[in-house]
Amino acid sequence: MKKRVLALDVGDRRTGVAVSDDLGITAQGVETIETRGLERDVARVKEIADSYQTNRILIGLPRHLDNREGIQAERSRTFGNRLTDMGFIIRYEDERLTTAMAHRALLEGDASRKKRKQVVDTIAAQLILQGFLDAGGWPEEQKNEEDKHMEGAMERDNIVELYDEDDNLVQFEHVMTVDYEGANYVLLAPIEDGEESDEVIILRIEEQDGEEVYASIEDEALINAVFSKYLEYVEAEEDEEN
């Protein structure tokens, strides 16, 4: 019997959940979690994972067709990072067009609009997981050292590269993406000599010509407000750990 794999399709309003069968052959839909904040959502995922006695979680990673990652990919990685902090082993799976496929499957099944809204995320998670299983799934022979290597690769995935005013490429560690008053902001820590700095910069995520870009913020009060929101998340996590 193989250890099961839990799969997530993380969305703005809902997160679909699916799980593999005992043999690691087929994916089964589990439920749709209505978004109530990061901590409540990951707590529910932990409950589900514990019920299936697995620490393996596959998260769909939405990309643009040109392979760029956007705002939703950042949300998925933030979700995955929080689960990693809780001790889960996380892998990401390309989910381009998966939600569209789920909608199409429901339309072909003549499901009502209300029904589609309720289950489309779960079906998307099921499609993500089935594709992963069909491609070989989670190798049972994977050793602890390989797990560590995988976690290291995930950490490198959190690196953001931006050009400074002198057109030099600078690396940052992605700290968190924060939703504040209807807008999204990213917190980045500069990497100096291979190590993360104590300094954090805050940029607003905007859309220009159909592409997501980072924009600087001149309003000091807004910067402080977003940083305070970030501290609230950190304090909530610390309270939960204690």
Side-chain angles (χ1 to χ4, degrees), residues 31-80:
E31 70 172 77
T32 297
I33 300 171
E34 296 291 332
T35 298
R36 296 181 179 177
L38 180 62
E39 294 306 316
R40 290 187 181 182
D41 295 351
V42 295
R44 178 54 188 154
V45 170
K46 183 180 185 305
E47 290 177 355
I48 298 171
D50 289 347
S51 71
Y52 287 105
Q53 298 181 334
T54 184
N55 65 342
R56 298 175 173 180
I57 298 181
L58 183 74
I59 299 179
L61 190 65
R63 298 178 187 269
H64 296 289
L65 294 180
D66 61 3
N67 210 40
R68 290 181 301 106
E69 293 184 12
I71 296 175
Q72 191 54 54
E74 292 234 10
R75 291 194 181 101
S76 296
R77 289 194 183 279
T78 298
F79 205 100

Side-chain angles (χ1 to χ4, degrees), residues 163-174:
Y163 286 96
D164 64 13
E165 58 186 10
D166 297 320
D167 208 28
N168 296 316
L169 192 61
V170 182
Q171 288 190 331
F172 298 84
E173 178 82 16
H174 173 263

Side-chain angles (χ1 to χ4, degrees), residues 77-92:
R77 289 194 183 279
T78 298
F79 205 100
N81 290 340
R82 186 67 189 95
L83 289 168
T84 299
D85 292 340
M86 298 168 71
F88 290 98
I89 300 173
I90 305 299
R91 284 192 174 186
Y92 295 97

Side-chain angles (χ1 to χ4, degrees), residues 15 103-104 145 151 161 163 211:
T15 294
H103 275 291
R104 187 178 303 123
E145 288 303 315
E151 290 166 7
E161 295 183 331
Y163 286 96
E211 295 188 359

Side-chain angles (χ1 to χ4, degrees), residues 101-121:
M101 291 168 61
H103 275 291
R104 187 178 303 123
L106 289 168
L107 284 169
E108 290 175 353
D110 199 26
S112 67
R113 183 174 182 179
K114 181 178 180 181
K115 179 67 173 178
R116 292 199 302 271
K117 182 178 179 181
Q118 291 172 340
V119 302
V120 66
D121 299 282

